[in-house]
Amino acid sequence: MAKLVQLIEWRRDVRRFRRDAIEPDLIERLLDLAQMAPSVGNSQPWRWVSVDSPQMREKIHQNFVAANAEAQAGYQGERASLYARLKLEGIDVAPRQFAVFCDRGTAQGAGVGCQTMPEMLDYSVAVMIETFWLLARAEGLGVGWVSILDPEQAKADLQVPERWKLIAYLCVGWPVEEHPVPELVRFGWQDRTQAGRFVTSR
């Protein structure tokens, strides 16, 4: 339990990576283990696309640049200035990158648990991502979740089936530095809070 607590404490969104390569066998092993994550109806709707070519990474990066400019325009004053200084992705450096999709048309699981809450397929993919993240961290790898993207543009660029929904774009690599404190806390964007920690049903 102590080791698990330490692992969770050190699970951080990483955006500053070394360029050192990752052994392909290590990634394959982590992905195999991560498939043991729970999924509604044993649907396993996750679909991982490895984004490897410089041309495709540049398309994703330009997607980020456009989406980030739009996001920054939503802030004013000092908040906008602080946002502009944040490091929000590692696409230009991370040695491995994955677009993770939910296959909303999967036949596996035959729809068990999804009739009233179809979004459970998306949540299943999110749980698998968290499982992979913790496994990666246990091996010393860092993971960064890039959410400032146009998901439809990413789908078009990666030429995936229409029924797939983008859940995450992940950068994976060896961290430049290790911190137990989230970067957004260190740079003054948002402190960790206990807001909404528990809600009692009455």
Side-chain angles (χ1 to χ4, degrees):
M1 177 58 75
K3 289 182 178 180
L4 178 60
V5 169
Q6 184 180 30
L7 177 62
I8 292 172
E9 288 175 345
W10 280 91
R11 192 239 28 95
R12 291 287 168 250
D13 195 0
V14 174
R15 304 179 185 97
R16 304 173 195 276
F17 299 95
R18 307 200 312 260
R19 295 186 181 274
D20 308 52
I22 307 170
E23 286 294 327
D25 288 350
L26 173 56
I27 293 293
E28 290 301 319
R29 181 164 58 84
L30 295 179
L31 287 173
D32 284 345
L33 286 169
Q35 298 218 50
M36 298 175 67
S39 63
V40 64
N42 195 28
S43 56
Q44 300 179 54
W46 41 75
R47 306 290 183 261
W48 288 59
V49 176
S50 185
V51 182
D52 301 320
S53 74
Q55 295 82 1
M56 192 56 67
R57 290 188 180 186
E58 179 57 24
K59 286 185 177 182
I60 296 295
H61 183 254
Q62 289 306 316
N63 186 334
F64 166 82
V65 169
N68 193 49
E70 184 175 348
Q72 185 176 339
Y75 297 104
Q76 304 296 324
E78 181 57 32
R79 200 66 162 172
S81 298
L82 179 56
Y83 183 91
R85 296 194 297 270
L86 295 175
K87 171 72 170 169
L88 297 172
E89 50 81 33
I91 297 170
D92 57 335
V93 177
R96 294 301 304 269
Q97 298 179 31
F98 300 94
V100 188
F101 294 87
C102 175
D103 181 357
R104 289 186 152 188
T106 183
Q108 183 160 328
V112 170
C114 299
Q115 301 303 316
T116 55
M117 296 181 66
E119 65 272 19
M120 290 301 294
L121 290 173
D122 298 346
Y123 300 158
S124 297
V125 178
V127 172
M128 194 267 200
I129 290 169
E130 173 73 356
T131 303
F132 171 83
W133 203 320
L134 291 173
L135 289 165
R137 189 80 282 266
E139 291 285 356
L141 288 168
V143 178
W145 187 324
V146 183
S147 61
I148 307 172
L149 291 172
D150 178 338
E152 294 304 316
Q153 184 62 54
K155 279 179 58 174
D157 289 338
L158 293 168
Q159 299 181 342
V160 301
E162 180 59 31
R163 68 178 185 269
W164 289 14
K165 176 184 177 181
L166 182 67
I167 302 299
Y169 190 88
L170 303 180
C171 294
V172 183
W174 307 106
V176 168
E177 53 188 356
E178 305 267 0
H179 281 286
V181 180
E183 184 162 325
L184 291 182
V185 174
R186 300 200 313 271
F187 282 78
W189 181 261
Q190 171 68 60
D191 288 336
R192 294 193 68 84
T193 69
Q194 299 297 323
R197 183 178 180 186
F198 298 110
V199 178
T200 302
S201 176
R202 298 186 185 279

